[in-house]
Amino acid sequence: MTGFRLGYVPGVTPAKWVRIWAERLPRVPLELVQVTAAEAPGLIRRAEADAVLLRLPIDRTGLHAIPLYVEQTVVVVPKDHVITAADEVTVDDLADELVLYPQDDVLDWQRPPGRLIEERPARTGDAVELVAMGTGVLVVPQSLARLHHRKDLTYRPLTGVPESQVALSWPEDETSELVEHLIGIVRGRTVNSTRGPAKAAKEPKRTGKAPAQRKPPQKKPRRRR
């Protein structure tokens, strides 16, 4: 079999699925390709990957997309910020805050909360640097807050806002056997699941003992008179 190329966006950690793949398909190398959230659907459409782990919503024209999980949305702030006094933050708590809105934002906003800073950083990583400088706060999925972790920053869960949904996507007309294997892995199916690719029929159970042979019946000697 040839190899399999799996794209993934920042914040998504496919390590567990890669390990299971290696256990189940040791002869099929799996290559990881990191791609930005905006570029992820194009990676599939250009046939530069067999499947991709991305964030919804996307234009699903010509693509399958299986939602896997939803991420908590958080607000990233300096460790000495007043928001850190709360265990959870609401949109109203950000009403007077300067909020950074990076150009690669992945949340499906109508409008982000707070007082938006007009100049938008190009990347989330740039926005995190600005938070550390005291320029404003940043709202992102929790995995991106962890990805860009800094000792001088922290985050709190934010309620009442869009959440990021991670999905597995692949071409609509190319659901290969390898893609079926990957679907089973990311959905947590066991290797013996009946919903995976077809499996070879089981061989009869062997005991290691040859079957017993029946001895022919012995004739009783006839008594002479």
Side-chain angles (χ1 to χ4, degrees):
M1 286 187 176
T2 59
F4 191 91
R5 285 171 61 88
L6 176 63
Y8 69 103
V9 298
V12 175
T13 53
K16 176 183 176 181
W17 297 324
V18 172
R19 176 179 54 77
I20 296 173
W21 177 283
E23 292 172 354
R24 297 184 185 180
L25 300 165
R27 296 184 180 180
V28 183
L30 190 150
E31 180 186 354
L32 291 178
V33 181
Q34 189 173 59
V35 63
T36 67
E39 295 170 341
L43 194 71
I44 292 295
R45 291 193 171 97
R46 294 191 303 271
E48 293 177 8
D50 299 289
V52 65
L53 295 162
L54 45 66
R55 298 181 188 276
L56 300 178
I58 59 168
D59 176 6
R60 297 200 189 191
T61 304
L63 299 178
H64 282 299
I66 296 178
L68 301 178
Y69 59 88
V70 175
E71 285 192 83
Q72 172 74 58
T73 301
V74 301
V75 55
V76 180
V77 298
K79 280 193 171 180
D80 59 355
H81 197 285
V82 64
I83 281 178
T84 60
D87 293 330
E88 192 175 74
V89 182
T90 67
V91 171
D92 291 340
D93 294 326
L94 299 184
D96 296 326
E97 295 290 338
L98 291 173
V99 177
L100 293 152
Y101 186 25
Q103 295 176 31
D104 64 351
D105 182 83
V106 295
L107 297 171
D108 190 24
W109 298 107
Q110 288 187 343
R111 183 191 181 281
R115 298 158 52 202
L116 294 183
I117 297 174
E118 185 175 347
E119 186 174 350
R120 299 181 64 184
R123 296 178 295 273
T124 297
D126 299 330
V128 171
E129 295 293 329
L130 291 172
V131 174
M133 294 168 59
T135 304
V137 302
L138 174 66
V139 179
V140 291
Q142 183 171 304
S143 67
L144 289 181
R146 289 174 173 169
L147 178 65
H148 298 287
H149 170 73
R150 289 176 52 116
K151 292 182 179 180
D152 53 349
L153 300 180
T154 188
Y155 59 84
R156 290 292 183 271
L158 179 62
T159 62
V161 293
E163 295 175 313
S164 173
Q165 189 170 41
V166 174
L168 174 68
S169 181
W170 69 95
E172 198 170 50
D173 56 350
E174 296 183 23
T175 306
S176 65
E177 183 174 336
L178 290 178
V179 169
E180 289 284 4
H181 274 293
L182 182 61
I183 293 170
I185 289 170
V186 299
R187 283 190 160 178
R189 296 177 193 159
T190 65
V191 69
N192 295 319
S193 170
T194 57
R195 295 186 61 190
K199 300 178 180 60
K202 293 183 178 180
E203 295 183 2
K205 189 174 181 180
R206 297 179 180 179
T207 63
K209 295 180 180 179
Q213 294 184 356
R214 297 181 61 185
K215 295 180 180 180
Q218 296 181 354
K219 294 182 179 181
K220 294 182 179 180
R222 299 179 67 179
R223 297 176 63 184
R224 293 180 181 180
R225 292 183 180 181

